[in-house]
Amino acid sequence: MRTRSTAGRRRVALALAALLGSTALAAVPMTATAAAGDGVAVQYRTSASGATADQSEPWFKVRNTSSTTIQLSQVKVRYYFKADSANASYRFACSWAVKGCANVTGTFGTLSHPTATADRYLEIGFTSGAGSLSPGADTGDLQLRFYQSNWQTMNQADDYSFSAAQTSYADWNKVTAQLAGSTVWGTAPENNDPTDPTDPTDPPTGGGQTLFDDFNYTSSTDPAISAHGWNVRSNSGGPGVPGATWDPSKVTFPSVSGNSVMNLQTSTAGTAETTRQTEVVTKSLKFKNGTYAARVKFSDAPASGPDGDHLVQTFFTINDLTAPMADDYSEYDFEYLPNGGWGEPGNILYTTSWETYNPDPWQAVNQHTEARQSYAGWHDLVLTIDNNSIKYYIDGQLFGTHDAQYLPERPMSINFNQWLIDLAGQTSTAPRSYDEQVDYVLHVKDQVLTPAQVDTKVAAYRTAGKTFVDEVPAS
């Protein structure tokens, strides 16, 4: 990853958090009456009732209709609408929410089966900070809005989920709600139910060349690492603490439960001179569309010494910035901050899709999804890129979907690194070290796999005794 003005980076990222993504989903609609008692009900009103408006203002309340407490992080609500033009781009904003706007997310998607009144949707989700709903409780007001990025007037009259007459809250079955991945409320536009993601569940076609590495090496100096296309970084530069050393000796390959894993250790004693960071990156930029997967162990606590440093643990893809704000730049990140940083006080996981940036003065065009909770332990991370969207999965669950605006124009490398944002997390001069571990990495060219299909493919390689495969052609 590149050198960044960290405070500026996250200020921009948070300012652009409304730029949320696209997906392609299709199935059979479910009726509201069949689902009304199964989990949640959604009430809707609009505060912009004109046939045309500068922005659409769908407000919601989500009510728990079940007999058990539900976590709002498992709830997704979709509002369906007709784009004002084929190339229209939309932005989401939360004006006010009882649960807090910081805990409400908005993601735009494209329907696989457009109808006369819907070819897009806005999906509303919740971070873990939104908490839970006890039986019979509701979220209170979710005062939401969205608008065209160029602020052109929007036509609402032909939008599937819009009703000019709905100026006070009432149950509304022309939005859908999912609970833990199952549709429990509302009727989607015909053949567009949100529970049937067509592309990932269909048998993959085309492409299919694979990179698989089980990280079965003896040390960072093992000749097989370079022969297999990896570089263990030793050159200076960002990201992280200026003057820190990227130390290949801190990349090791211990056995964990009889299985070799890659361990990236970052250490410091509170000064740049004592700071050692780690990165492993493919030497070739040959990875673009398809599926990326890795099993990664994030750590909240240090392996030794006092805790509290602003640490970043990652799995990502990237290419080079050819010029400030160049539109052929691409980067797709999983970044876990166990002790906060970038203005965050505690645990946070980001997935970020980058269009471009300017390093000086700092300017960025990106889109991210975040969750403020601990992710300590092993996690299955999956990133898929096709011609429509970028999707991030964690432990089999869809975490974020990002817009086609952020699709890659050029091939990228695959990277893992662990580094310190700064030395402001704590003032101790005692030595301390942190570990990030990687079980395997997989890339399948030009195929979108489900997390389950990833697991099957990895298991097949291991059953066959294959610890390394690279069929992906050079770009």
Side-chain angles (χ1 to χ4, degrees):
M1 299 180 66
R2 62 190 174 277
T3 304
R4 303 173 181 176
S5 166
T6 55
R9 171 190 171 178
R10 284 307 169 193
R11 282 197 296 270
V12 173
L14 292 171
L16 294 175
L19 307 184
L20 295 167
S22 65
T23 189
L25 304 174
V28 178
M30 176 176 284
T31 64
T33 53
D38 292 345
V40 299
V42 181
Q43 294 191 327
Y44 157 80
R45 61 158 292 191
T46 180
S47 62
S49 58
T52 61
D54 290 337
Q55 57 187 356
S56 184
E57 299 185 31
W59 293 11
F60 299 111
K61 290 182 180 179
V62 179
R63 185 176 76 257
N64 181 0
T65 60
S66 74
S67 59
T68 60
T69 296
I70 62 172
Q71 299 298 315
L72 278 170
S73 60
Q74 295 186 313
V75 175
K76 302 287 186 184
V77 175
R78 286 190 179 179
Y79 178 96
Y80 301 89
F81 65 98
K82 183 78 170 179
D84 294 275
S85 69
N87 296 321
S89 177
Y90 293 88
R91 303 292 182 260
F92 165 77
C94 173
S95 298
W96 186 79
V98 172
K99 292 291 183 179
C101 281
N103 297 316
V104 180
T105 64
T107 301
F108 292 101
T110 302
L111 295 178
S112 287
H113 301 280
T115 70
T117 59
D119 56 13
R120 307 279 184 97
Y121 62 82
L122 168 64
E123 182 173 273
I124 304 303
F126 302 88
T127 72
S128 59
S132 60
L133 288 180
S134 58
D138 66 50
T139 59
D141 276 339
L142 301 169
Q143 297 183 10
L144 313 177
R145 55 191 172 90
F146 66 95
Y147 51 91
Q148 292 200 69
S149 57
N150 59 8
W151 281 103
Q152 293 296 305
T153 299
M154 296 173 59
N155 176 27
Q156 300 189 101
D158 61 354
D159 290 350
Y160 177 85
S161 295
F162 172 74
S163 173
Q166 201 78 6
T167 56
S168 58
Y169 281 116
D171 286 356
W172 191 243
N173 70 354
K174 298 188 80 172
V175 298
T176 58
Q178 289 178 272
L179 178 61
S182 298
T183 302
V184 295
W185 177 265
T187 303
E190 186 175 4
N191 295 323
N192 286 288
D193 190 272
T195 60
D196 185 12
T198 304
D199 290 341
T201 55
D202 286 347
T205 58
Q209 294 98 334
T210 300
L211 168 72
F212 171 72
D213 201 329
D214 214 11
F215 296 114
N216 191 12
Y217 303 108
T218 58
S219 71
S220 62
T221 60
D222 189 332
I225 295 177
S226 181
H228 290 169
W230 295 100
N231 177 52
V232 183
R233 183 176 176 179
S234 60
N235 59 297
S236 62
V241 174
T245 298
W246 295 89
D247 189 346
S249 72
K250 297 290 187 179
V251 177
T252 58
F253 298 90
S255 177
V256 176
S257 300
N259 178 51
S260 177
V261 302
M262 179 169 67
N263 191 88
L264 288 78
Q265 184 173 98
T266 292
S267 60
T268 189
T271 65
E273 293 75 16
T274 61
T275 300
R276 300 290 184 268
Q277 304 179 143
T278 43
E279 181 168 41
V280 176
V281 54
T282 59
K283 291 184 284 188
S284 295
L285 278 72
K286 63 178 184 176
F287 308 98
K288 193 179 176 187
N289 285 17
T291 300
Y292 300 80
R295 183 163 172 78
V296 177
K297 185 179 183 181
F298 295 129
S299 300
D300 283 352
S304 63
D307 198 0
D309 291 288
H310 290 156
L311 187 71
V312 184
Q313 301 175 327
T314 75
F315 166 43
F316 64 103
T317 69
I318 194 171
N319 59 30
D320 56 314
L321 183 73
T322 56
M325 302 303 288
D327 61 6
D328 62 350
Y329 176 77
S330 301
E331 179 181 348
Y332 307 95
D333 301 330
F334 289 91
E335 294 177 304
Y336 180 54
L337 282 60
N339 295 315
W342 293 324
E344 291 290 333
N347 318 83
I348 188 166
L349 176 68
Y350 291 101
T351 59
T352 309
S353 301
W354 290 79
E355 170 65 15
T356 190
Y357 73 101
N358 185 1
D360 188 21
W362 181 253
Q363 183 181 359
V365 181
N366 64 19
Q367 180 181 358
H368 83 274
T369 304
E370 80 279 348
R372 292 172 176 82
Q373 65 183 65
S374 172
Y375 279 89
W378 285 103
H379 296 283
D380 295 313
L381 309 180
V382 176
L383 160 69
T384 65
I385 303 173
D386 59 18
N387 292 323
N388 300 301
S389 65
I390 305 105
K391 297 181 182 179
Y392 297 86
Y393 296 83
I394 299 177
D395 298 330
Q397 298 299 310
L398 183 63
F399 183 84
T401 303
H402 294 173
D403 197 35
Q405 172 183 346
Y406 304 94
L407 292 172
E409 286 85 8
R410 290 189 293 123
M412 302 169 286
S413 61
I414 297 175
N415 302 252
F416 299 90
N417 65 17
Q418 184 180 217
W419 48 281
L420 294 174
I421 296 171
D422 52 41
L423 296 171
Q426 61 152 295
T427 59
S428 175
T429 59
R432 59 266 193 190
S433 65
Y434 300 84
D435 289 338
E436 175 186 357
Q437 293 186 339
V438 185
D439 183 13
Y440 70 83
V441 66
L442 174 77
H443 172 70
V444 182
K445 177 180 170 63
D446 294 332
Q447 284 190 1
V448 172
L449 305 185
T450 66
Q453 289 169 333
V454 167
D455 291 345
T456 299
K457 196 169 187 70
V458 171
Y461 280 130
R462 287 178 163 171
T463 298
K466 294 184 178 180
T467 60
F468 178 78
V469 175
D470 188 2
E471 307 162 335
V472 181
S475 297

